[in-house]
């Protein structure tokens, strides 16, 4: 009798739990600051089945956030976020060659989604549901050339359906070509097409075309650099201008052309110290479908004190442009310590400043969702303590 196919798989299951306590002087960046205490619990699990030529992953996670104190008066104080993802991948003869399909579903509090993505605090209830399907293929067509193709589509809806946002579908196709010029340098070309379809009164459609070229190189044993730059072309049909300029009662068409790009510089200053500088400009939808242009620059310095402890410093500046233009600046310091192989802790201080916004329209006309919490300046000081426990439920080899 032939053995069951199930026995051909090597199964493993890993799990993680994280507990966080945060003290914040102005959690939601209000013009009249007040303190709050936040408690966050996150649970996750990853089950994997492998064969010599394929693997299947099923992951699930959930988090609960609760806030107390005068700083949360007038806004939501409890948030849920949970979801599942399944991925099947077939590996070919070479390391780079593969095909994969992926499906995921996630539900999270609408207020939490806006807070995490845009820093916007709103006293709203209900949930955002997102269902996503993805497929892709990677191929080495020559010894120095690789090609990647990806197609993904997401459907975002609200529970209840009157939850304050506009349901929409986001479909994206991407192609990428990479050529190795030498053992330390490669060039990249990529092209994307994204289609956003909104279930609003005008059935607005937004098309985004992105084309970029770039390279990555290892300049020395301690220095590497990567950069990409190109253009993004947005075409809005049966709506308002992609960055405002119309009225919700009047459907219009418009187009916007802008540049996009990213760059990363990594410098290993010492054997145990690494400096990274990252800069980017992007154009695309937020978690609720509102269109944003985002500029950011971040510098981080990480130093390993010993095998168990690490200290890191970071500073960043960000600009979000939608119906308003809002600038943010932040700085943080983190000390991390591994108690054991399974237990880890960290302590982080963070300062965040929001500059006064320019513009008076604080709601996106396409989705009806807010784009900023307030137009005035605001500051916050945060102290966060995190404990993480990672463990193996079922080791590989089963």
């Amino acid at each position: 009798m032939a053995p069951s196919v199930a026995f051909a798989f090597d199964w493993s299951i890993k799990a993680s739990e994280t507990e966080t306590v945060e003290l914040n002087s102005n959690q939601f960046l209000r013009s009249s600051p007040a303190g709050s205490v936040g408690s966050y619990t996150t649970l996750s699990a990853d089950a994997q089945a492998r064969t010599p030529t394929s693997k299947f992953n099923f992951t699930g996670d959930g988090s609960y956030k609760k806030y107390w104190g005068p700083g949360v008066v007038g806004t939501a104080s409890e948030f849920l976020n949970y979801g599942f993802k399944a991925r099947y991948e077939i590996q070919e003869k070479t390391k780079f060659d593969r095909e994969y399909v992926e499906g995921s579903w996630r539900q999270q509090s609408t207020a939490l989604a806006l807070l995490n993505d845009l820093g916007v605090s709103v006293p709203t209830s209900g949930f955002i549901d997102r269902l996503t399907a993805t497929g892709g293929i990677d191929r080495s067509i020559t010894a120095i050339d690789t090609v990647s193709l990806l197609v993904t589509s997401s459907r975002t809806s609200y529970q209840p359906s009157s939850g304050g946002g506009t349901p929409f579908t986001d479909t994206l196709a991407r192609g990428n070509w990479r050529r190795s010029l030498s053992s330390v340098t490669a060039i990249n070309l990529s092209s994307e097409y994204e289609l956003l379809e909104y279930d609003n009164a005008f059935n607005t459609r937004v098309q985004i075309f992105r084309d970029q070229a770039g390279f990555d190189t290892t300049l020395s044993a301690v220095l590497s650099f990567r950069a990409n730059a190109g253009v993004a072309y947005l075409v809005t049909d049966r709506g308002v201008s992609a960055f405002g300029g119309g009225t919700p009662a009047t459907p219009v068409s418009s187009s916007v052309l802008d540049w996009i790009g990213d760059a990363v510089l990594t410098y290993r200053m010492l054997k145990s110290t690494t400096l990274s500088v990252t800069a980017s400009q992007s154009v695309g939808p937020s978690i609720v479908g509102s269109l944003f242009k985002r500029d950011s620059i971040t510098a981080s310095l990480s130093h390993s004190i010993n095998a168990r402890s690490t200290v890191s410093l970071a500073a960043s500046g960000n600009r979000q442009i939608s119906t308003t233009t809002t600038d943010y600046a932040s700085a943080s310091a983190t000390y991390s310590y591994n108690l054991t192989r399974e237990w880890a802790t960290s302590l982080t201080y963070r300062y965040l400043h929001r500059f006064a916004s320019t513009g008076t329209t604080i709601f996106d006309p396409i989705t009806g969702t807010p784009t900023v919490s307030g137009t005035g300046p605001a500051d916050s000081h945060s102290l966060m303590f995190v404990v993480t426990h990672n463990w193996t439920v079922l080791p590989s080899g089963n």
Side-chain angles (χ1 to χ4, degrees), residues 13-250:
I13 302 176
K14 297 181 180 180
S16 175
E17 177 184 7
T18 300
E19 296 288 344
T20 303
V21 176
E22 181 181 9
L23 307 177
N24 200 303
S25 65
N26 189 8
Q27 182 74 52
F28 305 112
L29 291 179
R30 293 173 171 174
S31 55
S32 300
S36 64
V37 177
S39 176
Y40 321 139
T41 299
T42 301
L43 297 171
S44 63
D46 181 2
Q48 184 179 96
R50 300 181 67 97
T51 72
T53 59
S54 65
K55 64 179 179 180
F56 172 77
N57 283 81
F58 182 80
T59 60
D61 67 88
S63 64
Y64 171 73
K65 291 188 175 185
K66 173 66 177 177
Y67 295 96
W68 297 270
V72 300
V73 173
T75 190
S77 61
E78 293 183 271
F79 305 100
L80 284 173
N81 178 8
Y82 50 91
F84 306 94
K85 182 171 69 174
R87 177 186 174 96
Y88 180 67
E89 179 179 315
I90 298 176
Q91 299 160 332
E92 302 295 342
K93 294 180 179 180
T94 66
K95 181 179 180 181
F96 186 80
D97 293 352
R98 62 176 182 169
E99 305 92 38
Y100 57 90
V101 292
E102 184 177 294
S104 65
W105 173 84
R106 177 162 297 278
Q107 183 177 84
Q108 58 181 315
S109 303
T110 303
L112 177 64
L114 287 166
L115 182 64
N116 286 343
D117 192 26
L118 305 178
V120 174
S121 172
V122 291
T124 186
S125 58
F127 294 86
I128 290 178
D129 288 353
R130 173 166 286 192
L131 182 64
T132 303
T134 303
I137 182 171
D138 300 328
R139 279 290 182 272
S140 299
I141 54 178
T142 70
I144 60 173
D145 296 286
T146 57
V147 174
S148 299
L149 301 174
L150 176 142
V151 177
T152 183
S153 184
S154 298
R155 175 65 181 177
T156 300
S157 57
Y158 293 82
Q159 299 293 335
S161 56
S162 58
T166 300
F168 69 99
T169 301
D170 182 358
T171 303
L172 182 144
R174 177 191 303 129
N176 184 82
W177 171 64
R178 174 184 173 87
R179 163 164 281 198
S180 297
L181 301 180
S182 68
S183 60
V184 296
T185 303
I187 57 173
N188 301 278
L189 296 176
S190 67
S191 184
E192 286 185 2
Y193 171 73
E194 186 170 11
L195 174 63
L196 299 162
E197 299 174 290
Y198 299 90
D199 296 353
N200 58 11
F202 308 124
N203 292 320
T204 300
R205 286 164 44 101
V206 177
Q207 300 178 82
I208 307 177
F209 303 85
R210 302 181 184 92
D211 294 295
Q212 294 189 83
F215 69 96
D216 56 84
T217 182
T218 302
L219 300 171
S220 70
V222 297
L223 184 64
S224 63
F225 182 70
R226 174 178 62 83
N228 296 280
V231 296
Y233 182 57
L234 286 75
V235 180
T236 303
D237 299 315
R238 300 190 302 273
V240 297
S241 173
F243 293 110
T247 61
T250 306

